Amino acid sequence: MLLYGCVCVAFSFVLFEGHAQDALQEGTKEKPISLEEIKNTFVNTLNELETQKAQRAQQLDAQLQAKLQSVLNEWIESAKQSKERELNKLTHNTWKNALMLISPMPYDYYLRSYEYAIAAADIIKKDSPLASYGASAQVIEKLCIERYHSDAVSSLEPYLHTVSTSIKLQLTYDGDTFIIKEIEYGQSSIGQGW
């Protein structure tokens, strides 16, 4: 697009120069266009082209950010629906990838609540002709669980835990929307209390 603009400006320059020479040769009373005016016109046209290019880039960035946010929100809603089915049901988990901050480990527990938050979302410009944009995002999953215990306990406090997991999503852009290509669950950290 910039090349097209430069060609147009160069063509205008040639026309202006030809017009000035024609006016001198014909002896008309038209004032010839000076080189300074041609230079100013050229510079102004280049500045306008750069401004338009910057505005289009900002609009594209805003559109891509909105589309990425929409896809991430849809994924979070889907994850929430999955967790909703687990609420207040006895669950068994071996926590294969967990950083144990508590003892004993809550293998049998009830999921009492959950939260999801987008920690980071970045759009990446790619050199690939198939997918010119991609994205990566990090979502934090926070589960509030209650470790299984007898009904006779006097305090629930030692049985309440928070499980935090970082989830990385890799996305590609197909020209219309972002598509999740990879989901990687990081190490969970299990802490005391909610």
Side-chain angles (χ1 to χ4, degrees):
M1 187 67 177
L2 184 60
L3 179 63
Y4 175 74
C6 289
V7 169
C8 288
V9 170
F11 183 70
S12 299
F13 178 75
V14 170
L15 287 177
F16 284 138
E17 188 175 305
H19 176 71
Q21 288 178 355
D22 289 345
L24 286 175
Q25 288 174 354
E26 293 176 8
T28 62
K29 294 186 178 184
E30 280 186 44
K31 180 182 173 190
I33 298 173
S34 71
L35 287 176
E36 189 64 32
E37 289 175 316
I38 294 170
K39 180 182 171 187
N40 289 341
T41 302
F42 182 76
V43 169
N44 289 339
T45 303
L46 279 179
N47 289 340
E48 286 179 30
L49 289 172
E50 287 298 321
T51 302
Q52 290 173 0
K53 182 179 173 184
Q55 288 173 342
R56 282 192 300 272
Q58 286 177 342
Q59 290 172 346
L60 177 62
D61 186 51
Q63 290 171 351
L64 291 174
Q65 289 289 349
K67 290 178 180 184
L68 177 59
Q69 190 67 38
S70 174
V71 169
L72 293 176
N73 288 340
E74 287 174 18
W75 184 85
I76 287 174
E77 284 304 313
S78 173
K80 284 180 177 180
Q81 288 175 1
S82 173
K83 291 299 177 193
E84 192 68 30
R85 293 188 287 270
E86 297 175 24
L87 272 178
N88 302 315
K89 293 181 181 176
L90 185 61
T91 304
H92 181 79
N93 193 335
T94 57
W95 303 110
K96 293 177 184 172
N97 192 18
L99 175 62
M100 189 166 71
L101 302 177
I102 59 167
S103 183
M105 212 47 169
Y107 294 113
D108 296 312
Y109 63 88
Y110 295 95
L111 176 62
R112 297 302 187 196
S113 68
Y114 53 85
E115 288 179 26
Y116 289 88
I118 299 171
D122 299 312
I123 295 175
I124 304 157
K125 176 107 171 104
K126 295 182 175 184
D127 293 332
S128 169
L130 299 176
S132 56
Y133 292 96
S136 65
Q138 180 182 9
V139 176
I140 304 298
E141 175 187 67
K142 180 180 166 188
L143 307 177
C144 296
I145 63 172
E146 181 179 331
R147 186 165 33 110
Y148 181 76
H149 54 79
S150 74
D151 292 335
V153 296
S154 59
S155 173
L156 287 179
E157 209 168 301
Y159 300 96
L160 304 179
H161 307 289
T162 301
V163 181
S164 296
T165 307
S166 174
I167 305 167
K168 293 181 183 177
L169 295 100
Q170 296 296 325
L171 305 97
T172 59
Y173 185 68
D174 70 356
D176 185 42
T177 187
F178 283 95
I179 300 168
I180 297 172
K181 291 293 184 183
E182 185 180 330
I183 301 171
E184 179 185 336
Y185 286 80
Q187 188 175 40
S188 297
S189 64
I190 305 174
Q192 191 67 45
W194 290 349

